Amino acid sequence: MKTYFVDVVVPLAVPKPLTYRVPMEWELYVNQGSRVVVPIGKSKKYTGIIWRVHEEVPKDRAAKYIDEVLDDLPILSKKQMELWNWMSQYYACTLGEIMSAALPTGLKLSSETIYVSNQVDDLVLEPHELLLVEFMSKKNQVEGVSAQELQVHLPLIQVQKTVRSLLKKGALSALEEVKEKFVPKRITYLMLSPSFCSDEALQNCFNQLEKRNADKQHAALMTFIQLSNWNGIEGVAVRKKDVIQSSKTDHAAIQGLIKKGVLIQEERNERRVVGEEATRDEMPILSKEQGEAKDKILNHKGTSLLFGVTSSGKTEVYIHLIEEQLKQGKQVLFLLPEIALTTHLIHRVQAYFGEQVGVYHSGYSTHERTEVWHRVLGGKYRFNVVLGARSALFLPFENLGLIIVDEEHEGTYKQQDPAPRYQARDAAVMLGMMHEISVVLGSATPSIESMYNANSGRYQRVDLTQRFGLAQQPKVELVNLKAELAAKRVTGTFSQTLIDQISETVKQGNQVILFQNRRGYTPLWECVMCHHIPECKNCDVSLTFHKSSNELKCHYCGFVQKPPTQCPACGVQNFKMMGAGTEKIEEELQDILPHVRVGRMDMDVARGKHAHKQLLNEFEEGKLDVLVGTQMVTKGLDFSKVQLVGVLNADRMMKHPDFRALERAFQLLVQVAGRSGRREEMGRVLIQTYDTDHWIFPYVIQNDYEGFYRIEANEREQHAYPPFKRMIKLTVKHKDRAVVHKATQQIFEWLKTALNGHFFGPEEPYVSRINNYYIRVFWIRIPKMTEHLLVKQFLLDCKLNLLKEPEFKMVRFAIDVDPS
């Protein structure tokens, strides 16, 4: 008789899948890509994914049995598993780490410890132990009690400590219980009982209720009849909640009608995620250039770089490409850099394709994300178009026909921490290759890597050179802050030139966007005597002052303190604020131009689930004249009345110590400039700078990406940076500076032996301590033709060997392939 085994991926950073034995009763139900419950260690249980079914007996240990098969059909397709395998190898991470990132929490079960009391005679218990045992004796012994439940009901005792002592005395036993995290949404509906579905019976019922003075029941029943538009037909249902709210009664009134047999109560599953109905019958009309771009993409089974100037109508091309796929019964994945900031685009796509469109991102609850996952798999309400952030890449598409990556240059497509540290744009290209379908990368300012791939023939290049319709390119001008200061024409952060233009634009009934890439009120709170600046106690950074909350905050670890009134270094009670964040700029502008209505858009005011949407709606409806913001205002905004964009300080972003700094600066300046003049009138862009002679500005003014690319690519080639070399970043962290130093010296010796001449470091990064972890980094640059998988395997071996040493056991060692 055959014995079957399964290799199972669990959501832990273990090097390879774990092998389990399949009990006979489960042999017919184990499928590759299905979930199972498996034991790990002495007592824990986890959800795992069956990676392989085989008959190979493990040689190194006896295999444990799987506990349960959770799925009748696989929740992962073979293409998804192929993508996971590629990501694991390319990004030097484990399949378990990918599983943690890929599956919504609702599909990952984990065990919870349940305690049951034992009958033990002559046991001496302390008062707090006795209190806990007495509480448990009142509970159902079959079900047991969780630690969380004990903590809620017994807040005055140390639950964990008490439980441990009772376990030692044998008064308690601990069991592991696996709980399903995804629960379908259940809604209670009311229906009229068949015996009351005639006019005569219903009238008699109302008469009886009046005789008995059952006013609330009478009101509830009347409301039910009105809401259901009752016409004598059985089975018409109304939500119980709606009846109670509309009739202004209560649950008791409804229960009275149910008890009398007048109403029937029924629970039904209901969708949490409800799409919008389509509101447009006809597709947008494409220009000749847009039509040619669409045809080129449709005729190319591979990756296309859609290089279109801002406001060139890339979205219209996307919509036509989506329509072509839906006609063929295919699904479309539409990746966006930040869902929260692209609500305009989402609504436009939903307007054309209605309830076929789903949205998937971290702002959704666990249950909502799990529901979207199931509806992508199939069923009555299948999503055929999914717009999502980078995590949507992992959704289980059954019949994928097209992938679109909008604003492909955006850094948010790169996952930083924790692993897998993947680049969603590049992974999308690989997924497209696996499905043998078209992938579209769209941008007005493509990443250097993507343009290099297009120019070298790896991607097809498709250009949109004209703004759509009658829209004109904005006029970009520099404001020389040195000259303005010399002429005493600067108020706070604003030059008089910018103030005059804001005033004039608002006077004409138009709107303004102001960009400052720093949130908070002021980045430095400095003593005027000794120049002491308060720093975070956990990180090597200064604290940023936030006036609205009167707090100094660390933007790295979240540490907060009140601003000191006396300098801790010299005792002087006099501080000055240096620099300006969005909060200060908002305040300054309201002081300078009191009649102007100013709003602010940054992480401090857009934290709520719908806060950003509400702010953008106010701006679109003309309730605000000026919108001040961080990078948020550069992405996906399309407002017809924005005629002026102001960049308050362009210098800081160009001086950042990073080889991508100028690329990011160029992209930000061009993208934020593109928010201006998106209709018939020419917009205007004012960039404040102390360095008007910087070589980047002529290319920004002329919107000359090609010219910028040639210079930047030449610099990258000369200094051996991507895309001409592959780059890997190693980060080593520990709370003890001496341990970090010793660990990095060991890593240095290993790298010197194997990769001499192809790495540099260890070095301290710009911020060398975050959240009390001291940080050192290595940079590895290897030629394109080098067998990179061997190098990554060597780095993984280094990591394993390092962590085997007792003194380095708590060292954090991160491998970041293609760091952003």
Side-chain angles (χ1 to χ4, degrees):
M1 187 167 58
K2 292 182 179 180
T3 301
Y4 289 99
F5 297 87
V6 286
D7 293 340
V8 177
V9 173
V10 292
L12 301 171
V14 292
K16 60 182 181 180
L18 305 177
T19 302
Y20 290 87
R21 188 171 176 177
V22 182
M24 287 184 63
E25 63 268 26
W26 290 113
E27 286 180 357
L28 296 177
Y29 302 97
V30 289
N31 295 302
Q32 188 181 40
S34 293
R35 293 177 304 153
V36 289
V37 177
V38 294
I40 292 180
K42 292 183 179 180
S43 59
K44 284 293 180 184
K45 299 178 188 294
Y46 285 88
T47 305
I49 299 287
I50 297 175
W51 210 250
R52 189 168 72 101
V53 182
H54 58 89
E55 299 174 33
E56 302 165 16
V57 181
K59 296 177 181 179
D60 54 343
R61 63 180 179 85
K64 294 180 180 180
Y65 284 98
I66 63 171
D67 282 0
E68 186 180 356
V69 178
L70 296 174
D71 304 306
D72 295 330
L73 298 172
I75 64 161
L76 285 189
S77 68
K78 289 185 178 179
K79 294 294 184 189
Q80 281 178 287
M81 297 172 75
E82 190 180 344
L83 178 68
W84 286 24
N85 271 326
W86 174 81
M87 291 181 70
S88 174
Q89 293 176 4
Y90 187 84
Y91 292 107
C93 59
T94 67
L95 288 169
E97 289 169 326
I98 296 172
M99 178 183 173
S100 293
L103 293 190
T105 307
L107 295 177
K108 292 179 289 189
L109 286 70
S110 61
S111 59
E112 180 181 28
T113 304
I114 300 297
Y115 299 102
V116 294
S117 60
N118 299 325
Q119 186 66 42
V120 181
D121 297 328
D122 303 325
L123 194 62
V124 178
L125 298 177
E126 299 292 333
H128 59 279
E129 294 175 333
L130 189 60
L131 186 65
L132 190 147
V133 170
E134 287 177 350
F135 170 76
M136 293 191 62
S137 66
K138 300 174 185 176
K139 302 292 291 183
N140 186 332
Q141 281 297 293
V142 177
E143 294 181 358
V145 183
S146 69
Q148 185 177 9
E149 192 175 357
L150 289 172
Q151 194 72 62
V152 170
H153 290 282
L154 303 171
L156 299 180
I157 69 172
Q158 293 179 307
V159 169
Q160 293 295 341
K161 186 177 180 180
T162 306
V163 164
R164 284 198 298 270
S165 66
L166 289 172
L167 286 170
K168 285 182 181 179
K169 292 178 180 181
L172 291 184
S173 294
L175 307 173
E176 291 296 311
E177 181 179 278
V178 177
K179 291 190 173 182
E180 179 72 67
K181 293 183 180 179
F182 175 68
V183 180
K185 184 178 181 181
R186 304 281 286 174
I187 300 295
T188 303
Y189 280 85
L190 299 174
M191 294 178 291
L192 200 61
S193 173
S195 57
F196 286 87
C197 281
S198 67
D199 291 337
E200 184 181 351
L202 200 56
Q203 187 59 54
N204 288 336
C205 179
F206 277 118
N207 293 338
Q208 289 296 320
L209 292 174
E210 285 180 4
K211 284 181 181 179
R212 297 177 183 179
N213 294 320
D215 295 339
K216 286 188 176 181
Q217 292 182 19
H218 187 285
L221 182 58
M222 181 62 72
T223 300
F224 171 85
I225 298 299
Q226 292 169 347
L227 292 177
S228 64
N229 294 317
W230 185 77
N231 57 5
I233 300 175
E234 292 183 24
V236 178
V238 179
R239 293 203 316 176
K240 180 180 178 180
K241 181 180 177 182
D242 294 341
V243 174
I244 292 173
Q245 288 180 344
S246 298
S247 64
K248 297 180 181 178
T249 56
D250 51 29
H251 289 278
I254 301 297
Q255 288 305 118
L257 291 170
I258 293 171
K259 196 172 182 180
K260 290 182 173 72
V262 179
L263 294 179
I264 300 171
Q265 181 173 286
E266 180 183 281
E267 283 201 346
R268 298 179 181 179
N269 286 350
E270 192 158 295
R271 290 175 288 162
R272 288 184 171 89
V273 182
V274 181
E276 296 185 6
E277 291 187 7
T279 56
R280 298 189 182 184
D281 297 326
E282 297 181 358
M283 290 292 107
I285 299 172
L286 299 183
S287 67
K288 181 182 177 183
E289 187 181 45
Q290 288 174 316
E292 291 171 351
K294 182 201 78 170
D295 293 339
K296 283 184 72 175
I297 293 168
L298 287 174
N299 294 326
H300 179 71
K301 291 298 180 188
T303 302
S304 299
L305 176 62
L306 183 59
F307 173 37
V309 298
T310 54
S311 197
S312 59
K314 292 186 288 293
T315 303
E316 284 74 16
V317 176
Y318 296 153
I319 288 169
H320 276 266
L321 291 171
I322 292 169
E323 182 195 32
E324 292 293 332
Q325 298 305 315
L326 296 183
K327 284 179 181 176
Q328 301 172 40
K330 302 279 188 179
Q331 291 176 294
V332 177
L333 170 60
F334 196 145
L335 291 180
L336 298 167
E338 290 183 64
I339 287 288
L341 307 178
T342 48
T343 52
H344 283 77
L345 193 150
I346 292 170
H347 289 318
R348 287 179 70 184
V349 175
Q350 288 174 329
Y352 287 106
F353 305 112
E355 292 195 353
Q356 294 187 80
V357 179
V359 180
Y360 187 80
H361 60 96
S362 58
Y364 272 9
S365 68
T366 294
H367 291 314
E368 288 170 332
R369 285 164 65 88
T370 306
E371 182 178 306
V372 172
W373 181 286
H374 286 304
R375 288 175 63 184
V376 170
L377 262 177
K380 181 180 178 182
Y381 298 106
R382 187 174 90 157
F383 285 133
N384 291 316
V385 182
V386 176
L387 292 91
R390 60 175 180 261
S391 57
L393 185 77
F394 297 110
L395 287 169
F397 292 97
E398 288 285 288
N399 192 16
L400 194 59
L402 173 69
I403 301 174
I404 298 169
V405 184
D406 192 35
E407 306 296 355
E408 63 84 29
H409 64 277
E410 283 288 349
T412 48
Y413 283 124
K414 173 68 174 177
Q415 164 76 9
Q416 302 296 341
D417 283 311
R421 297 172 182 85
Y422 66 100
Q423 166 56 261
R425 176 197 65 216
D426 299 342
V429 170
M430 182 56 62
L431 183 63
M433 290 173 63
M434 293 171 180
H435 282 270
E436 299 181 352
I437 60 173
S438 297
V439 178
V440 183
L441 310 180
S443 178
T445 54
S447 64
I448 299 295
E449 287 84 352
S450 292
M451 183 55 76
Y452 174 81
N453 286 331
N455 289 345
S456 61
R458 185 179 177 191
Y459 299 164
Q460 174 184 235
R461 177 171 164 173
V462 182
D463 291 358
L464 291 175
T465 60
Q466 303 295 321
R467 276 196 154 197
F468 185 64
L470 300 175
Q472 303 176 61
Q473 287 289 354
K475 182 181 180 182
V476 181
E477 303 169 65
L478 302 181
V479 178
N480 189 331
L481 285 177
K482 286 181 182 178
E484 294 274 323
L485 277 168
K488 297 183 179 180
R489 286 170 48 83
V490 174
T491 305
T493 315
F494 293 86
S495 65
Q496 191 59 45
T497 301
L498 182 55
I499 292 170
D500 292 343
Q501 285 301 314
I502 293 171
S503 181
E504 184 63 26
T505 302
V506 173
K507 191 183 295 182
Q508 294 172 359
N510 291 316
Q511 293 174 303
V512 181
I513 288 178
L514 297 177
F515 170 58
Q516 171 75 335
N517 203 19
R518 175 182 270 155
R519 64 187 175 97
Y521 191 82
T522 181
L524 298 175
W525 180 274
E526 183 180 65
C527 171
V528 297
M529 180 62 69
C530 69
H531 305 291
H532 170 79
I533 296 171
E535 293 188 346
C536 176
K537 68 175 186 178
N538 305 317
C539 311
D540 288 338
V541 292
S542 58
L543 296 171
T544 299
F545 177 57
H546 289 251
K547 189 174 182 180
S548 58
S549 58
N550 190 35
E551 292 174 330
L552 292 171
K553 295 182 180 180
C554 175
H555 289 174
Y556 285 84
C557 74
F559 171 74
V560 175
Q561 73 173 45
K562 289 295 180 182
T565 56
Q566 181 174 328
C567 177
C570 69
V572 169
Q573 297 181 352
N574 193 359
F575 289 86
K576 63 180 177 180
M577 292 176 280
M578 306 284 288
T582 49
E583 190 180 5
K584 186 177 182 182
I585 287 162
E586 178 188 25
E587 182 184 278
E588 283 183 354
L589 186 58
Q590 286 177 329
D591 289 340
I592 297 167
L593 299 172
H595 64 284
V596 171
R597 298 166 298 173
V598 185
R600 174 163 55 94
M601 187 172 179
D602 56 30
M603 286 297 294
D604 296 320
V605 296
R607 290 187 185 278
K609 190 172 182 180
H610 302 295
H612 66 277
K613 188 175 180 180
Q614 182 180 341
L615 184 62
L616 292 177
N617 285 342
E618 287 180 10
F619 192 59
E620 186 170 32
E621 291 166 6
K623 296 177 181 177
L624 297 171
D625 301 311
V626 179
L627 184 63
V628 178
T630 55
Q631 287 189 40
M632 287 183 164
V633 300
T634 71
K635 302 171 184 179
L637 303 186
D638 185 3
F639 298 109
S640 60
K641 299 185 80 173
V642 173
Q643 287 301 114
L644 175 66
V645 167
V647 179
L648 293 161
N649 189 340
D651 302 327
R652 181 170 171 264
M653 67 181 85
M654 297 189 295
K655 300 289 192 290
H656 193 70
D658 182 356
F659 77 93
R660 298 186 194 273
L662 288 179
E663 178 187 5
R664 290 200 185 104
F666 179 85
Q667 289 165 343
L668 276 171
L669 291 171
V670 172
Q671 290 287 341
V672 75
R675 303 310 107 201
S676 173
R678 295 177 72 87
R679 297 298 182 266
E680 291 82 3
E681 294 181 46
M682 179 184 287
R684 193 172 183 186
V685 182
L686 295 181
I687 300 174
Q688 296 189 154
T689 176
Y690 289 96
D691 187 8
T692 54
D693 295 327
H694 197 289
W695 70 264
I696 200 176
F697 286 129
Y699 299 101
V700 173
I701 292 170
Q702 297 298 323
N703 193 19
D704 183 5
Y705 174 86
E706 300 275 15
F708 167 78
Y709 170 80
R710 283 192 295 271
I711 293 177
E712 182 67 10
N714 183 55
E715 286 284 315
R716 298 265 187 103
E717 186 171 20
Q718 286 184 30
H719 295 94
Y721 281 113
F724 302 96
K725 290 282 183 75
R726 296 183 187 274
M727 181 169 279
I728 302 173
K729 178 184 178 184
L730 303 184
T731 304
V732 184
K733 300 180 183 179
H734 195 274
K735 291 190 174 183
D736 188 325
R737 189 197 300 266
V739 173
V740 170
H741 176 74
K742 194 171 180 181
T744 52
Q745 288 306 305
Q746 177 62 74
I747 296 167
F748 176 83
E749 295 300 325
W750 287 333
L751 294 179
K752 188 170 72 171
T753 302
L755 298 172
N756 196 22
H758 294 292
F759 78 96
F760 55 95
E763 66 177 22
E764 288 191 2
Y766 183 64
V767 179
S768 60
R769 183 174 63 100
I770 297 176
N771 214 6
N772 285 320
Y773 279 89
Y774 293 93
I775 306 168
R776 299 294 180 271
V777 296
F778 292 89
W779 298 92
I780 298 168
R781 290 186 297 201
I782 53 179
K784 282 273 189 177
M785 300 307 294
T786 303
E787 184 48 70
H788 63 96
L789 293 180
L790 293 177
V791 174
K792 292 165 189 173
Q793 187 56 55
F794 167 74
L795 297 177
L796 286 171
D797 292 341
C798 288
K799 179 178 180 178
L800 289 174
N801 291 331
L802 185 77
L803 300 183
K804 282 179 184 177
E805 298 292 331
E807 62 182 320
F808 300 138
K809 189 176 180 181
M810 300 305 292
V811 168
R812 296 187 178 184
F813 188 123
I815 302 171
D816 187 1
V817 178
D818 300 336
S820 61

